[in-house]
Amino acid sequence: MQPRVQLITLGVPDLDAARHFYVDGLRWPVIFEVPGEIVFLQVGHGLALGLWDADKLAADAGDQAPTAVGTGAPAPLSLAQIVASEAEVVEALDRAVAAGGTLLKPGQHADFGGFHGYVADPAGFRWEIAHNPGWHEADDGTVSISPIG
Amino acid sequence: MQPRVQLITLGVPDLDAARHFYVDGLRWPVIFEVPGEIVFLQVGHGLALGLWDADKLAADAGDQAPTAVGTGAPAPLSLAQIVASEAEVVEALDRAVAAGGTLLKPGQHADFGGFHGYVADPAGFRWEIAHNPGWHEADDGTVSISPIG
């Protein structure tokens, strides 16, 4: 598991309110969105901020399987690392578990069309490790996302 | 408030456990640390991950003043934006409030020696806006942090 964050996904109770704040209010640039579902904003070199329904994020991360880590419910967000292959997803999850993380969702095909899994750090913060052929980072750090699958 | 994240601070219940996972386990590079207090890791181009005691983060962000936003307690983390001056801290906070954010802590001198404030987005996620003369980003995105004050 490499020291890299490419996506910060915030689980929000009201996607319209979040979009109104970041996009209409602050005028932050949208990389890609599925209306009513998810919004991605560029927030740094090779770094995106995702806004997603909190319940959908929790379900995607496998919260139906209670975890022993943390002091309460997991924080409604995930930090994500994008890797180059399905094998690297599995390797990164294995390394995180070996380091003391808790596997929340083993590597598997994802609803977005790629391959991913989730692991929690000792405090319960979720990391998603994903292979997404639709995720591109230009040399200047600009992220673009294409629908796949 | 510009579309930029330079620091993700995770509020953790056990700093030693978090450090053991990220530094000893995953061998992620430490930028700067105050033993027993806070650890910063490089996790992207111009991007740092901070590990800090959750109660100290909450106090720093002004959680003694209850907020009306969100559906419960704020997530134990903050996303931070580093700006070039104290005036820019105030401007960025003002713009976030104008966009619908909730001011948690007005711009003021910070314990780390710089100047900062906090604002919450509509879902309750905290943003810290900080001016920190000790924060440096090299052309290749490498972050270094020097104690100030």
Side-chain angles (χ1 to χ4, degrees), chain A residues 3 47-48 79 87 91 105 114 123 128-129 139 146:
Chain A
L47 181 66
L79 303 176
E91 287 164 12
K105 184 179 189 179
E128 180 190 16
I129 313 293
D139 289 344
S146 315

Side-chain angles (χ1 to χ4, degrees), chain A residues 9 22 46 52 59 62 64 105 107 111-112 131 136-137 142:
Chain A
T9 301
Y22 288 102
W52 197 21
Q64 65 277 15
K105 184 179 189 179
D111 288 342
F112 64 81
H131 172 56
H136 302 283
E137 179 183 330
T142 300

Side-chain angles (χ1 to χ4, degrees), chain A residues 45-126:
Chain A
H45 186 114
L47 181 66
L49 182 71
L51 308 172
W52 197 21
D53 178 80
D55 292 335
K56 291 180 183 173
L57 172 61
D60 190 58
D63 281 0
Q64 65 277 15
T67 71
V69 298
T71 55
L77 84 154
S78 67
L79 303 176
Q81 189 169 109
I82 314 292
V83 296
S85 68
E86 296 187 6
E88 284 184 45
V89 170
V90 175
E91 287 164 12
L93 292 170
D94 286 349
R95 292 185 63 170
V97 170
T102 301
L103 189 65
L104 301 176
K105 184 179 189 179
Q108 56 194 265
H109 291 285
D111 288 342
F112 64 81
F115 188 90
H116 76 160
Y118 283 88
V119 63
D121 81 2
F125 287 103
R126 298 185 194 108

Side-chain angles (χ1 to χ4, degrees), chain A residues 32-54:
Chain A
F32 175 72
E33 70 181 305
V34 179
E37 176 70 21
I38 195 163
V39 181
F40 295 97
L41 310 168
Q42 179 98 24
V43 293
H45 186 114
L47 181 66
L49 182 71
L51 308 172
W52 197 21
D53 178 80

